[in-house]
């Protein structure tokens, strides 16, 4: 009896961007493959990271929003108000825990938790230089 031949994926290029199923797993908190680390870095600290985070964080709440709109009795304006209130509450907590969630996602993918965008790093360096110029000039 011969053993089956297993082929490796050596010739197959590695994906650098998640497909829809991988992206849904990423939204739910799963880790993406290491080949997508650059995509994760850009998603979490690149340009437009905050709006992406806000939209990504609303995805798990969609069934609740739809349930409020479809399953509850009452006038449409009342059910719409329930959804609006739910969206505002979800947004509030999303914004409140954005930095913690970003740091956790960065660590999950093997990146430093305190990683910041180039623009934010430049602004912090500029602020530090202004502080040192103002308060540490006599040292």
């Amino acid at each position: 009896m011969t053993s089956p031949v297993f082929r490796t994926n050596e010739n197959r290029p590695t994906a650098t961007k998640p497909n829809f199923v991988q992206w849904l797993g990423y939204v739910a908190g799963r880790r993406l493959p290491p080949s997508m680390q650059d995509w994760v870095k850009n998603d979490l600290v690149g340009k437009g990271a905050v709006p992406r985070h806000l939209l990504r964080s609303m995805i798990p709440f969609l069934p609740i929003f739809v349930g409020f709109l479809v399953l509850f009795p009452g006038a449409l304006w009342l059910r719409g108000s329930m959804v609006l209130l739910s969206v505002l509450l979800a947004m509030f907590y999303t914004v409140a825990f954005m930095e913690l969630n970003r740091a956790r996602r960065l660590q999950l993918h093997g990146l430093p938790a305190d990683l910041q965008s180039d623009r934010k790093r430049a602004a912090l360096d500029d602020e530090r230089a202004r502080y040192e110029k103002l308060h540490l000039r006599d040292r």
Side-chain angles (χ1 to χ4, degrees), residues 1 4 15-16 38 51 55 63 66 79 86 104 106 120 122 128:
M1 177 182 242
T16 58
D38 287 337
L55 290 173
V66 171
R79 292 178 286 156
S86 301
R104 183 190 63 79
L106 285 167
K120 189 171 183 179
R128 174 97 178 157

Side-chain angles (χ1 to χ4, degrees), residues 67-81:
F68 281 167
L69 194 59
V70 175
L71 300 176
F72 276 81
L76 183 60
W77 69 267
L78 182 62
R79 292 178 286 156
S81 298

Side-chain angles (χ1 to χ4, degrees), residues 68-125:
F68 281 167
L69 194 59
V70 175
L71 300 176
F72 276 81
L76 183 60
W77 69 267
L78 182 62
R79 292 178 286 156
S81 298
M82 289 172 59
V83 172
L84 179 62
L85 181 62
S86 301
V87 167
L88 292 175
L89 187 61
M91 278 288 187
F92 174 80
Y93 281 104
T94 297
V95 170
F97 292 103
M98 186 175 352
E99 286 299 316
L100 293 172
N101 189 11
R102 185 183 63 78
R104 183 190 63 79
R105 283 182 187 271
L106 285 167
Q107 280 183 331
L108 180 68
H109 289 88
L111 296 164
D114 60 348
L115 188 65
Q116 296 170 344
S117 68
D118 295 335
R119 195 171 62 192
K120 189 171 183 179
R121 171 61 49 205
L124 288 173
D125 290 344

Side-chain angles (χ1 to χ4, degrees), residues 128-138:
R128 174 97 178 157
R130 283 187 286 127
Y131 173 83
E132 289 174 353
K133 182 180 174 185
L134 253 142
H135 300 289
L136 301 177
R137 61 182 136 172
D138 56 335

Side-chain angles (χ1 to χ4, degrees), residues 28-88:
R30 295 193 58 152
R31 188 176 196 279
L32 291 175
S35 64
M36 297 179 193
Q37 199 171 40
D38 287 337
W39 182 88
V40 171
K41 180 182 174 186
N42 183 55
D43 184 55
L44 296 174
V45 297
K47 187 175 181 174
V50 172
R52 277 195 304 271
H53 177 79
L54 295 176
L55 290 173
R56 179 179 58 241
S57 298
M58 292 297 112
I59 300 296
F61 292 109
L62 283 178
I64 296 170
F65 300 154
V66 171
F68 281 167
L69 194 59
V70 175
L71 300 176
F72 276 81
L76 183 60
W77 69 267
L78 182 62
R79 292 178 286 156
S81 298
M82 289 172 59
V83 172
L84 179 62
L85 181 62
S86 301
V87 167
L88 292 175

